[in-house]
Amino acid sequence: MAVEPPTPPNCHFIPMAPTKRFSGKSVIITGSSNGIGRATAVLFAKQGAQVTITGRDEERLEAAKKQILKLTSKPNDLNVVVANLTDSKGLDDIVNSTLTKFGKIDILINNAGANISDGTLNTDQSIELYQKTFQINFQAVVEMIKKTKEHLIKTKGEIVNVSSIAGNEQTFSATPYYCAAKSALNQYTRCIALDLIQYGVRVNSVSPGVVVTGFLGAMGLPDEVRDKMANFMASNKACIPAGFCAKPNDIAEIILFLSDRKKSSYIVGQSIVADGGTSLVTGMTAFDMHEMI
Ligand code: NDP
């Protein structure tokens, strides 16, 4: 006797929301009230991460918060901390509030930095400026990593530091402390990458060239001077062979790539240079051969 096949249960297709790239990941992004850090926070939020944004300027941080809340259906996935990274209480507030709100830390982006200016240049730069410059561009990174290390080991997390081509072999002699601080950061990145990879934590960095952000404004330059400089550099092949300045998002995409174990698992202790070709130019190649003969 032929056996009737069982009747399949009433099965309705329930469409599942696609899992976002950083769903469930807790990310701290320093210097996310502006520029590259803010663009990075926005991208992480779009990709489902739980994001801690931070900076000193409450108004700018509020603007960043509003921008992110427009994108997410989960306002609880955002943690906003007004803090100065050169003050150890500020660092503790960032780490502790993230742990309280999200319960863990998966990714640390050490982005905050500045080419602080007090009007002195070259070897005339003051010792006070040297201390301030190293404090925000180097020491704050070291302290953040020390404070988050045990948590990142628990999650086998990722660290991405934002350096600069100013830390590479080409020099920007007007601002030696900023360049030296970023060089120190590059070597620190390599050293700790080798140490932390044994615990499953990856450390990398990105070294941008010229990016249009609040960076020059923070040096005290008015917007019209900043725009003039950006236009000059973009239209001069000796400055930026690609012919344009980067936007914050261009660097943010690289930061997300380096934070994504599925995309960049075998990259350890490296810095990706993103400078439109700036650091390839030598004094000789900056000129047209026809001008020489
Ligand atoms: P922005 O000035 O636009 O942003 C800098 C961010 O760092 C702001 O959110 C600022 O917040 C924060 N920050 C600065 N000092 C402190 C501090 N003491 N405590 C807490 N937060 C601080 O500049 P960028 O986005 O360009 O800079 C981001 C990173 O990129 C920096 O590390 C910079 O060195 C690097 N970089 C930038 C380049 C460029 O051309 N723009 C080129 C190469 C590297 P707030 O003011 O609210 O405190």
Side-chain angles (χ1 to χ4, degrees):
M1 189 175 107
V3 180
E4 288 281 311
T7 322
N10 259 352
C11 125
H12 298 288
F13 176 70
I14 304 165
M16 301 271 287
T19 310
K20 294 185 173 169
R21 197 168 154 204
F22 290 98
S23 280
K25 299 283 185 190
S26 162
V27 190
I28 296 174
I29 304 136
T30 68
S32 32
S33 58
N34 212 5
I36 295 169
R38 192 199 287 197
T40 304
V42 168
L43 278 192
F44 270 119
K46 271 189 187 164
Q47 291 299 332
Q50 298 175 311
V51 176
T52 290
I53 59 169
T54 180
R56 293 161 302 176
D57 188 311
E58 285 188 45
E59 255 178 53
R60 276 207 294 250
L61 206 51
E62 185 61 28
K65 175 182 165 182
K66 281 192 181 141
Q67 194 178 345
I68 291 170
L69 287 181
K70 271 189 203 159
L71 300 166
T72 172
S73 53
K74 294 185 183 167
N76 280 339
D77 280 358
L78 181 63
N79 180 37
V80 184
V81 191
V82 179
N84 190 335
L85 289 163
T86 63
D87 153 27
S88 119
K89 185 188 167 301
L91 299 167
D92 286 334
D93 286 350
I94 297 168
V95 175
N96 294 337
S97 67
T98 304
L99 290 169
T100 304
K101 188 143 189 176
F102 305 138
K104 60 177 182 146
I105 302 168
D106 295 288
I107 299 169
L108 169 66
I109 310 298
N110 288 304
N111 161 74
N115 192 349
I116 306 170
S117 169
D118 68 357
T120 58
L121 291 173
N122 303 306
T123 42
D124 292 331
Q125 285 200 317
S126 66
I127 289 297
E128 201 195 2
L129 189 69
Y130 156 76
Q131 281 157 346
K132 283 186 181 163
T133 304
F134 264 74
Q135 204 173 6
I136 181 62
N137 292 290
F138 185 59
Q139 190 176 321
V141 178
V142 174
E143 289 190 64
M144 276 304 285
I145 289 171
K146 284 180 77 66
K147 284 177 194 290
T148 54
K149 175 181 159 181
E150 63 174 298
H151 306 289
L152 288 162
I153 289 175
K154 275 188 208 152
T155 56
K156 299 205 185 303
E158 324 283 336
I159 299 172
V160 180
N161 296 327
V162 179
S163 186
S164 167
I165 55 165
N168 292 350
E169 281 169 19
Q170 310 75 21
T171 59
F172 296 83
S173 64
T175 58
Y177 301 148
Y178 176 71
C179 297
K182 291 296 193 182
S183 288
L185 180 59
N186 290 346
Q187 188 65 325
Y188 183 69
T189 297
R190 289 188 281 266
C191 292
I192 62 162
L194 197 51
D195 174 30
L196 293 181
I197 196 64
Q198 66 185 308
Y199 307 110
V201 177
R202 245 166 17 110
V203 188
N204 285 294
S205 84
V206 57
S207 290
V210 182
V211 192
V212 179
T213 64
F215 187 78
L216 292 178
M219 290 174 74
L221 298 178
D223 284 356
E224 61 273 18
V225 176
R226 180 197 71 181
D227 293 346
K228 216 173 159 183
M229 276 179 80
N231 288 337
F232 178 88
M233 290 188 281
S235 55
N236 193 326
K237 68 174 182 177
C239 298
I240 308 173
F244 63 92
C245 300
K247 294 195 176 68
N249 220 45
D250 298 324
I251 309 303
E253 288 285 5
I254 299 167
I255 294 171
L256 263 74
F257 167 72
L258 290 173
S259 305
D260 189 341
R261 190 70 60 117
K262 288 193 188 124
K263 305 259 183 211
S264 60
S265 64
Y266 217 46
I267 303 180
V268 174
Q270 300 301 311
S271 189
I272 295 186
V273 170
D275 69 351
T278 297
S279 53
L280 301 179
V281 180
T282 68
M284 276 189 290
T285 53
F287 296 95
D288 197 307
M289 257 177 84
H290 295 104
E291 292 170 23
M292 298 182 190
I293 48 182

